[in-house]
Amino acid sequence: MRAMLLLGALCAACPAPAEMLVATRTIRGQTILGPADVAVAEGEMPGALIDPAEAIGQEARVNLYAGRPILAGDIGAPAIIERNQIVTLLYRNGAVNIAADARALDRAGVGDALRVMNLASRNTVTGYVAPDGTVTVGASTRP
C-alpha cells in the first residue's frame, strides 16, 4: 500500500504527455486544410496547435511538412482577396465615410491587414479586410 502511495506521488511530479497537431502529408501554401490533412501526435512545442478544429477549414500560409507541428502562424483564414485584385477601399472616421477603388498588393483573408494602392491618388495604405471583401482604413479600421 505504501509503495502505491509513493508511486502515485512520483507520477504526480512526472510531466504529463503533451499532444500537438501535425500535418499528415506535405501541404503547399494556399491549400485549405481538411480533416485528412492533420493529426494529433505526442510531443510538445511552444505555439503548436493542439485541437484539429483550430486548423480544419483554414488556409496554409506556408508549406507544411508531414509529421511537423502546425503553428498558429502557419495557418489563417482563407484568402478572399487575391494580389492585384481591384477592391473597394473605405475610409471610416465617425460620420465620415469615403469609398475609392484600390489595387490589392497581396492576398488576404477576413480580418487580415492588407496593403492596397488607391488608384486615384496612387498612395499606398494599410487597412483590414472586412467579410464583404472591402478594405477599411481610418479610426474604425478593424472590422
Side-chain angles (χ1 to χ4, degrees), residues 11 13 19 29 38 40 44-45 58 66 74 80 84 99-100 107 120 126:
C11 288
E19 294 181 338
V38 297
V40 176
E44 187 174 354
M45 180 171 198
Q58 297 292 309
D74 293 345
I80 62 169
N84 290 325
R107 300 177 79 245
T126 300

Side-chain angles (χ1 to χ4, degrees), residues 9 83 104 108:
R83 180 178 171 85

Side-chain angles (χ1 to χ4, degrees), residues 96-136:
V96 177
N97 291 322
I98 301 171
D101 287 335
R103 180 177 306 277
L105 299 179
D106 207 351
R107 300 177 79 245
V110 174
D112 290 343
L114 176 66
R115 288 185 39 230
V116 295
M117 181 181 64
N118 182 325
L119 295 177
S121 67
R122 301 285 187 216
N123 287 329
T124 300
V125 295
T126 300
Y128 292 93
V129 178
D132 64 356
T134 60
V135 178
T136 59

Side-chain angles (χ1 to χ4, degrees), residues 4 7 10 29 37 47 51-52 54 57 75 106 113 124 131-132 139 142:
M4 288 178 52
L7 183 60
L10 288 176
D37 296 326
D51 184 9
E54 294 176 300
I75 61 172
D106 207 351
T124 300
D132 64 356
R142 208 106 164 128

